[in-house]
Amino acid sequence: MTQISMRQMSQVSIKMSASSSAFKGQAMRLACPPTKAVSRQGLTVISEEERFRLSNLQPLPGSRRKEQRKGRGRGAGQGLTCGYGNRGQKARSGPGVRPGFEGGQNPLYRAMPKLKGICGGMSAGQQKFVTVNLKDIVKFGLDANTEVSLDSLKAMGKLSPTGYSRDLPLKVLGEGELGVALTFKAAAFSASAVSKIEAAGGSIEVLPQKVKWTRQAHEAKIAAATEA
């Protein structure tokens, strides 16, 4: 067996085929520069092709195909009707039928029973408040005479409503027992929460909310302004 020294190996250029290279489709040439110390020798990879740049990026061959033009007749090469059938609305140009249309008969979305509340798309089942119970307030470990409101709970990191509930007002519920006198400011309180807060020596303040617009209230407001 012929022995080759490290100095001789450093002067030999090795050709690697594209199948054995990590860069597919590119021929690579490996060269080891001659050095005195064997431990300091390194391997330099020199690519004979252009490096990847933003200017030469392109899809892989075969990943993008040209859109097929749907022809008519045997001369188009796609059959006599090209999968559209003989006649009908779906076989002609222009818009087709809307989603869910079944030709005039009772469609499936009308035949199926509907659910109540938010599951059926009704606004009556949607959440109207961000709720917090008295037992949660006790777990927060607040000191006496501390103000409890939606802004203060958000600032302390105790409440973090997101999505639909991030713009909802606060409502205090009465589950649990309260032993510290606190000052509550919320949009609504349950009856049990009011009694327990007052029994603990605390106070409540009902914050005003945006009045829901109704036609009756609007007409009454106009009539009152006209009479005045």
Side-chain angles (χ1 to χ4, degrees):
M1 181 180 296
T2 304
Q3 297 182 356
I4 302 175
S5 63
M6 294 299 297
R7 185 176 183 84
Q8 293 175 346
M9 289 180 62
S10 64
Q11 298 176 357
V12 176
S13 297
I14 305 173
K15 284 286 187 176
M16 297 183 62
S17 62
S19 60
S20 62
S21 174
F23 300 91
K24 296 184 178 180
Q26 298 181 1
M28 308 298 295
R29 180 169 59 85
L30 304 181
C32 295
T35 55
K36 296 181 180 180
V38 178
S39 60
R40 295 183 179 181
Q41 289 186 356
L43 183 65
T44 305
V45 179
I46 303 175
S47 174
E48 296 181 356
E49 299 293 338
E50 186 180 4
R51 295 182 61 185
F52 284 122
R53 302 292 184 186
L54 291 177
S55 59
N56 58 9
L57 290 179
Q58 59 183 357
L60 294 176
S63 61
R64 306 289 292 273
R65 299 181 61 182
K66 186 178 180 180
E67 184 179 359
Q68 186 181 26
R69 179 185 177 274
K70 294 291 187 178
R72 296 295 189 277
R74 295 183 177 90
Q78 301 150 357
L80 184 63
T81 58
C82 193
Y84 285 110
N86 292 326
R87 287 176 295 276
Q89 184 178 4
K90 294 183 179 180
R92 294 179 168 86
S93 63
V97 296
R98 59 177 173 79
F101 183 70
E102 299 182 11
Q105 69 179 12
N106 192 29
L108 181 64
Y109 72 90
R110 295 192 64 182
M112 295 295 291
K114 309 301 186 295
L115 298 176
K116 293 182 180 180
I118 191 173
C119 298
M122 305 299 291
S123 60
Q126 292 182 347
Q127 187 179 1
K128 298 179 177 60
F129 296 97
V130 176
T131 59
V132 61
N133 281 283
L134 294 180
K135 64 177 183 180
D136 301 325
I137 302 296
V138 174
K139 292 180 181 179
F140 296 159
L142 303 179
D143 297 332
N145 300 325
T146 303
E147 179 181 321
V148 179
S149 62
L150 183 59
D151 296 335
S152 63
L153 293 178
K154 287 182 179 180
M156 291 184 292
K158 305 302 182 181
L159 287 181
S160 56
T162 59
Y164 171 78
S165 61
R166 66 176 179 269
D167 297 327
L168 297 180
L170 178 67
K171 182 176 182 179
V172 181
L173 303 179
E175 184 177 352
E177 296 296 333
L178 185 64
V180 183
L182 301 175
T183 303
F184 288 85
K185 294 182 179 181
F189 295 86
S190 64
S192 59
V194 172
S195 60
K196 292 180 181 180
I197 292 173
E198 293 178 350
S203 61
I204 63 173
E205 180 181 351
V206 180
L207 301 178
Q209 297 299 310
K210 182 179 179 180
V211 180
K212 183 179 180 181
W213 186 91
T214 58
R215 186 173 299 276
Q216 293 80 4
H218 180 67
E219 293 176 353
K221 182 178 180 181
I222 293 178
T226 305
E227 294 176 358

